[in-house]
């Protein structure tokens, strides 16, 4: 079947009759969950099953489970994690192994309740001016370290049956504004961006899915990357990321205009699928109508991403927890 070029959300713990009807009509490629959608493991499993049934296919269901402030599943039902940058610093020379274990354990929690994707790794490179909304979500301050830790995180998720979404492509680390509220402007020269910001994404260009950055690189194009054919071509050709690209949430204030037009512009620029969150049913319907079905190229990338889903490897989860605690010096993270 041809998927709708959207990733949508739900208003509560179960789908309403109106949401079911909308999702049956537009067949979104996938869904994303927020804290308002999460109560107990059984409830989340039921919600995921409802979503897939309504979409009419084995839709990908993703979530933001980075750790720290950006973590939708929380204690006491699930493990609380420290912010990524704090975690990496605590792990020291064991950071790569610790990041693999962290995200293998996160994948176990997600997969058990029907979630098969995570909006991570976040391989934006932190700098001295990185906005506080982003900084401690980063993995490091140099491209090589960030790429290596991003690879470890992605490998942990894939081993646990969860598709990683690398973000925010092609790099959000220089942003001095919060793109939830403003459009950041990056004025670094192209050579610096290639060597620093874009490098981790090039190293991880084989990952199944990526999420765009809502910011302007004025050395390259005056339009936000999500809406820029120039930037999307750079991502595809220069960075080499030819797998599925979703937008970051198009309801964020960095993008101005009517959401249905933003959706159309993002797809026209070269994104494969539009992520739209925290909106009324009517606005979700408007965006889904504007997005329509995936293009042939997007459908191929979507099918390629879904083909990377697999059953988790057979591991001893308590043993992995103990191994991680040892790497962190005996102090459990969280």
């Amino acid at each position: 079947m041809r998927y709708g070029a959207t990733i949508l959300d739900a208003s509560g713990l179960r789908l309403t009759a109106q949401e079911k009807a909308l999702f049956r009509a537009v067949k979104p490629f996938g869904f994303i969950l927020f804290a308002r959608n999460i109560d107990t493991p059984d409830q989340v499993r039921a919600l995921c099953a409802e979503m897939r049934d309504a979409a009419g296919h084995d839709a990908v269901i993703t979530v933001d489970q980075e750790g720290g402030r950006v973590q939708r599943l929380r204690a006491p039902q699930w493990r609380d994690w420290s912010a990524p940058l704090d975690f990496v610093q605590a792990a020291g020379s064991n950071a790569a192994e610790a990041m693999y274990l962290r995200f293998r354990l996160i994948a176990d929690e997600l997969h058990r309740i029907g979630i098969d994707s995570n909006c991570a790794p976040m391989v934006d490179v932190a700098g001295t001016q990185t906005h506080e909304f982003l900084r401690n979500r980063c993995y490091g301050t140099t491209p090589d370290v960030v790429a290596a830790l991003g690879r470890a995180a992605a490998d942990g998720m894939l081993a646990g049956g969860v598709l990683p979404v690398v973000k925010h492509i092609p790099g959000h680390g220089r942003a001095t504004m919060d793109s939830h509220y403003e459009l950041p402007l990056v004025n670094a020269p192209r050579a610096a961006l290639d060597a620093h910001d874009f490098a981790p994404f090039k190293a991880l260009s084989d990952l199944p899915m990526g999420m765009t950055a809502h910011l302007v690189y004025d050395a390259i194009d005056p339009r936000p990357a999500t809406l820029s054919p120039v930037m999307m071509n750079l991502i595809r050709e220069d960075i080499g990321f030819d797998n599925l690209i979703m937008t970051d949430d198009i309801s964020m204030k960095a993008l101005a205009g009517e959401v249905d037009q933003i959706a159309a512009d993002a797809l026209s620029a070269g994104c494969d699928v539009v992520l739209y969150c925290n909106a009324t049913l009517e606005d979700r319907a408007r965006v889904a109508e504007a997005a329509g079905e995936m293009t042939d190229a997007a459908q191929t990338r979507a099918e390629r991403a879904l083909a990377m889903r697999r059953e988790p490897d057979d591991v001893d989860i308590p043993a992995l927890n103990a191994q991680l605690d040892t790497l962190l010096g005996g102090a459990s993270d969280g």
Side-chain angles (χ1 to χ4, degrees):
M1 65 177 289
R2 185 60 62 97
Y3 306 129
T6 48
I7 296 173
L8 302 173
D9 60 354
S11 58
L13 299 176
R14 299 294 290 267
L15 295 186
T16 66
Q18 294 80 7
E19 286 173 333
K20 289 179 181 179
L22 174 63
F23 299 154
R24 287 192 190 103
V26 304
K27 300 176 176 58
F29 168 69
F31 299 94
I32 187 167
L33 302 185
F34 291 90
R36 66 174 178 274
N37 306 123
I38 294 166
D39 183 21
T40 67
D42 285 346
Q43 169 269 319
V44 177
R45 283 188 208 100
L47 176 60
C48 290
E50 283 186 332
M51 287 174 159
R52 292 183 171 116
D53 180 68
H57 67 100
D58 191 14
V60 68
I61 298 178
T62 196
V63 70
D64 288 296
Q65 192 72 358
E66 299 176 14
R69 290 179 296 108
V70 183
Q71 178 170 333
R72 311 307 185 201
L73 285 72
R74 292 195 172 272
Q77 299 280 7
W78 297 278
R79 181 170 178 163
D80 276 333
W81 296 93
S82 61
L85 194 57
D86 297 338
F87 178 89
V88 167
Q89 291 169 346
S93 62
N94 298 315
E97 185 179 359
M99 283 292 273
Y100 176 90
L101 293 170
R102 172 185 173 112
F103 280 96
R104 179 62 185 85
L105 294 168
I106 287 173
D108 178 67
E109 292 194 322
L110 298 181
H111 192 272
R112 287 177 184 273
I113 56 175
I115 300 171
D116 58 3
S117 173
N118 188 14
C119 293
M122 197 191 83
V123 297
D124 304 318
V125 182
T128 56
Q129 301 299 313
T130 302
H131 192 281
E132 62 182 359
F133 100 93
L134 195 77
R135 184 173 171 78
N136 73 351
R137 298 165 58 193
C138 297
Y139 300 169
T141 58
T142 63
D144 289 349
V145 166
V146 169
L149 297 181
R151 175 65 68 185
D155 286 348
M157 285 182 276
L158 288 166
V162 168
L163 294 177
V165 180
V166 63
K167 64 185 185 186
H168 302 85
I169 193 166
H172 212 301
R174 292 183 193 263
T176 58
M177 299 176 182
D178 184 344
S179 54
H180 291 87
Y181 305 105
E182 301 175 276
L183 177 61
L185 174 66
V186 170
N187 55 21
R190 172 66 190 271
L193 293 169
D194 282 335
H196 190 80
D197 305 65
F198 301 167
F201 295 95
K202 191 167 189 175
L204 300 179
S205 61
D206 60 307
L207 294 186
M209 295 192 285
M211 176 186 287
T212 63
H214 294 334
L215 73 169
V216 169
Y217 305 87
D218 71 355
I220 303 171
D221 191 72
R223 291 165 289 191
T226 301
L227 307 180
S228 166
V230 175
M231 289 304 306
M232 292 306 301
N233 185 68
L234 181 152
I235 289 167
R236 297 295 192 193
E237 299 298 328
D238 298 353
I239 292 176
F241 194 94
D242 193 35
N243 288 322
L244 187 86
I245 293 181
M246 69 174 74
T247 70
D248 203 347
D249 178 14
I250 65 167
S251 74
M252 292 164 63
K253 303 306 181 187
L255 303 181
E258 294 296 322
V259 288
D260 49 354
Q261 188 60 54
I262 293 171
D265 289 346
L267 297 172
S268 179
C271 296
D272 296 309
V273 63
V274 171
L275 175 66
Y276 185 49
C277 312
N278 305 311
T280 65
L281 185 75
E282 292 74 19
D283 280 346
R284 280 178 281 171
R286 285 174 60 208
V287 164
E289 181 179 2
E293 292 185 338
M294 285 185 162
T295 64
D296 290 346
Q299 181 81 14
T300 296
R301 294 183 186 114
E303 291 172 355
R304 192 161 65 223
L306 295 180
M308 293 183 70
R309 292 189 294 197
R310 68 187 219 198
E311 284 301 305
D313 56 357
D314 186 14
V315 295
D316 183 336
I317 293 298
L320 295 188
N321 270 298
Q323 184 180 349
L324 178 57
D325 288 346
T326 298
L327 289 178
L328 296 173
S332 179
D333 183 64

